[in-house]
Each structure stands twice: as structure tokens, then as C-alpha cells.
Amino acid sequence: MNAMTKSLAEAVEADLANVFPLKLAPRPNAEKLADLHRREAAACLQRVAEAKRALKADLAAFAAARKAEKARHEAEMTALAEGEAFARQRTAEAISDDEKLTAYNRAALDALA
């Protein structure tokens, strides 16, 4: 490159540096900015991982609570079924006893007649 071309290129470069300072200006903080963005991206990924772990723990807690509630419900339903069976048996025994007494009393009436 001859001197005239070199000086012309430097002049154009200087003019462009004034017009587009961000594109042509040296970026001494580029590595610092890149490190900052890397750290921020890593922090975001860490938060995502923590959120996923928290969700997994919450879902496990809900599943355990659901299982415990289901067991409690089944125990209550079993107790209710046992209560119903006892009531039916007690009522059946009472009806049977009364039917026997009715039959005895009718037999006694027939014997008196």
C-alpha cells in the first residue's frame, strides 16, 4: 500500500469511527462483558435447575399427601362399612328375635283357642 492510499484509508477509518463509533471503536471491556453474560447465563441455568428440583420435591410431597389422604379415606370407608354391617346384623338379629316371639305368641293363642 502506498503512502497516499494508506493516509486515505486512515482518513476514511477516522471519519467512520466518528459516524459508527460502536462498530469501529476498540472494545476493551468485551471480555468483561462476555464474562458477565456467561455468569448471568450460568445463574439463570442454576435457577432453572433449582426450580425443577423444587417442583419435583413439591410433586413428591403432593403425591405423599394424596396417598396418605387416600389411605385415611379408605380407613374411614372401611369403618363405615363395618358400622353398616354391624347395624344390619344387629337389626337382623332383633327382627329374628321378634319374629320368634311373634310365632311363640301366636302358638300360645292357638293353644288357648
Side-chain angles (χ1 to χ4, degrees), residues 73-84:
H73 177 69
E74 287 175 357
E76 286 181 5
M77 294 302 289
T78 301
L80 288 172
E82 289 172 355
E84 288 175 2

Side-chain angles (χ1 to χ4, degrees), residues 31-102:
E31 190 58 37
K32 288 181 182 179
L33 288 173
D35 286 342
L36 174 70
H37 288 296
R38 282 188 205 100
R39 283 193 305 272
E40 286 298 318
C44 290
L45 289 175
Q46 182 66 30
R47 285 194 302 269
V48 166
E50 289 171 2
K52 287 180 179 180
R53 279 193 297 273
L55 174 63
K56 188 175 182 179
D58 288 346
L59 291 177
F62 284 127
R66 185 180 297 113
K67 186 176 181 179
E69 188 63 25
K70 184 177 180 181
R72 186 187 65 77
H73 177 69
E74 287 175 357
E76 286 181 5
M77 294 302 289
T78 301
L80 288 172
E82 289 172 355
E84 288 175 2
F86 178 74
R88 289 179 192 275
Q89 180 183 359
R90 184 184 64 218
T91 302
E93 288 171 357
I95 289 171
S96 175
D97 291 344
D98 285 339
E99 286 175 346
K100 287 177 187 175
L101 287 173
T102 301

